[in-house]
Amino acid sequence: MRSHVGGGLPPMDVNDKAIRLTLRGALRLFASKPAPTLIALILLLGIPSLAHAFDLQQLSDQLAKPSVIHGSFTQEKHLRALPQPLVSKGSFVLAKDHGLLWLLKTPLQQDYRISPQGIARRDTNGWQLLPNKSAGAEQNRLFLAVLQGDSSGLQRDFELQLQGEAKQWKLTLIPRSLLLKQVFTQINIDGGDLVQTIELLETQGDSTVLRMQDSTASQPLSDAEQHDFAQ
């Protein structure tokens, strides 16, 4: 039975906090209720010579190549008041021209769709667009920018520090604006060909870790997935 609680959105809280384990937990994506709307990339195998350094444009080009990415995720929301993290798991579909399907499986079953139009949740009547509050919309934009490697979009809001090489890199995002500084101390993103880990460190001491697992760019959208994005 599908619950209306948002416990597994790409960083959003579980209820209509789900929109925060995905977006607050997609930027506080991949936890506002424990949940999207989004995802720690720092492992250096060595700094290449300056002439061949792996730069932000190369990273953006690399992450923008796949048209469709399928995978699974595990999201951990670490709260200072709780001894153990809140864990949610599910699968996702990231489509360059459409957005993100975030399909929460545990602890509750709930489907979300994140796109430029906003966040929608599936219920018995189909996809329902959630209220598009300004803060949530901004988190949604940032989450998609992270997953799709849109460095130009991220540079408007963060100072970007890239380390590593194409197969193993870490990107650190330091907030520029006062508003973002009030929420995050920094965001760490790790990956290789694709994003693998997103770590959101919040100013009050809480954090969210989103691990993107078994990601593959070899499968096109299924008919059902195309239908979900089209609704």
Side-chain angles (χ1 to χ4, degrees):
M1 176 178 180
R2 296 183 180 274
S3 168
H4 289 240
V5 175
L9 272 178
M12 293 197 278
D13 266 70
V14 172
N15 325 342
D16 281 334
K17 268 189 172 182
I19 297 180
R20 277 185 164 182
L21 266 185
T22 290
L23 288 178
R24 183 182 172 182
L27 271 175
R28 265 199 143 164
L29 129 106
F30 273 133
S32 206
K33 298 185 172 185
T37 54
L38 6 184
I39 292 99
L41 303 177
I42 294 179
L43 280 176
L44 285 183
L45 290 179
I47 303 290
S49 67
L50 202 54
H52 299 90
F54 184 58
D55 60 27
L56 288 171
Q57 186 58 55
Q58 289 173 308
L59 176 60
S60 295
D61 293 344
Q62 177 173 301
L63 294 180
K65 284 181 181 178
S67 297
V68 180
I69 300 173
H70 292 82
S72 58
F73 69 84
T74 298
Q75 180 177 293
E76 298 179 0
K77 179 67 176 179
H78 297 263
L79 302 174
R80 291 172 300 163
L82 297 178
Q84 300 295 326
L86 301 174
V87 179
S88 58
K89 297 182 179 182
S91 61
F92 70 91
V93 181
L94 178 65
K96 181 189 299 186
D97 297 328
H98 302 285
L100 175 72
L101 293 178
W102 195 255
L103 312 175
L104 178 65
K105 302 296 175 59
T106 63
L108 300 169
Q109 186 174 355
Q110 182 65 70
D111 297 346
Y112 294 90
R113 183 185 64 208
I114 305 174
S115 70
Q117 289 69 47
I119 303 171
R121 182 175 56 198
R122 195 201 315 259
D123 62 21
T124 55
N125 296 316
W127 291 101
Q128 307 299 323
L129 198 63
L130 298 176
N132 194 16
K133 297 180 180 179
S134 58
E138 181 66 8
Q139 288 180 333
N140 174 45
R141 181 183 68 78
L142 291 174
F143 185 51
L144 286 177
V146 167
L147 288 181
Q148 296 176 336
D150 179 8
S151 62
S152 61
L154 292 174
Q155 283 177 314
R156 291 194 296 267
D157 302 292
F158 298 92
E159 175 188 343
L160 305 184
Q161 301 173 358
L162 178 63
Q163 298 173 310
E165 58 186 17
K167 294 297 183 181
Q168 192 169 17
W169 50 267
K170 177 180 180 177
L171 181 65
T172 301
L173 285 65
I174 308 297
R176 294 182 186 275
S177 71
L178 180 61
L179 178 60
L180 285 171
K181 287 179 179 178
Q182 293 174 345
V183 180
F184 305 108
T185 57
Q186 71 181 54
I187 298 173
N188 300 317
I189 307 171
D190 294 278
D193 291 336
L194 304 171
V195 172
Q196 296 170 351
T197 307
I198 300 174
E199 180 184 35
L200 309 168
L201 303 179
E202 301 176 25
T203 54
Q204 73 273 31
D206 296 339
S207 65
T208 299
V209 178
L210 181 65
R211 295 182 175 86
M212 320 294 280
Q213 302 155 325
D214 306 318
S215 297
T216 176
S218 62
Q219 302 175 9
L221 289 176
S222 67
D223 291 343
E225 291 163 350
Q226 291 185 46
H227 182 266
D228 285 337
F229 279 121
Q231 283 191 317

